[in-house]
Amino acid sequence: CDPHVVERMDAQVLLKVIAQMPAGFRTVFNMYAIEGYTHQEIAQELGLSVNTVRNQISKALNVLKNGAIKIYSFILGIF
């Protein structure tokens, strides 16, 4: 048994859920979580308010959490 199967599965689940996010959420989430931009930098770059950026990051995290729960529930046979 490959000990890295779970790690790869986690990455695959994460990438699948991110890919399914609405484009605005995905852009803001990627800029924040992956590229390391601050809320202010994202707001300036995208022409949004800092509050909008914070809200979109929060909503993206909810999408991520709920999407992962659905995928793992399906994988584990918990409907």
Side-chain angles (χ1 to χ4, degrees):
C1 181
D2 182 353
H4 301 289
V5 168
V6 172
E7 291 172 7
R8 281 198 305 274
M9 185 172 69
D10 288 344
Q12 289 173 351
V13 167
L14 180 66
L15 290 173
K16 183 173 184 167
V17 174
I18 290 171
Q20 293 174 353
M21 282 183 188
F25 291 179
R26 185 173 55 247
T27 299
V28 170
F29 178 80
N30 284 337
M31 290 177 79
Y32 180 74
I34 297 171
E35 297 175 26
Y37 283 76
T38 66
H39 294 141
Q40 183 66 38
E41 291 169 332
I42 296 167
Q44 288 175 344
E45 184 77 22
L46 299 179
L48 303 170
S49 72
V50 172
N51 197 40
T52 297
V53 170
R54 286 188 181 126
N55 287 335
Q56 287 192 350
I57 290 169
S58 177
K59 289 177 182 179
L61 289 171
N62 282 331
V63 168
L64 194 60
K65 179 181 78 171
N66 292 331
I69 288 170
K70 286 178 186 174
I71 290 172
Y72 280 121
S73 294
F74 178 76
I75 289 170
L76 298 173
I78 305 168
F79 303 108

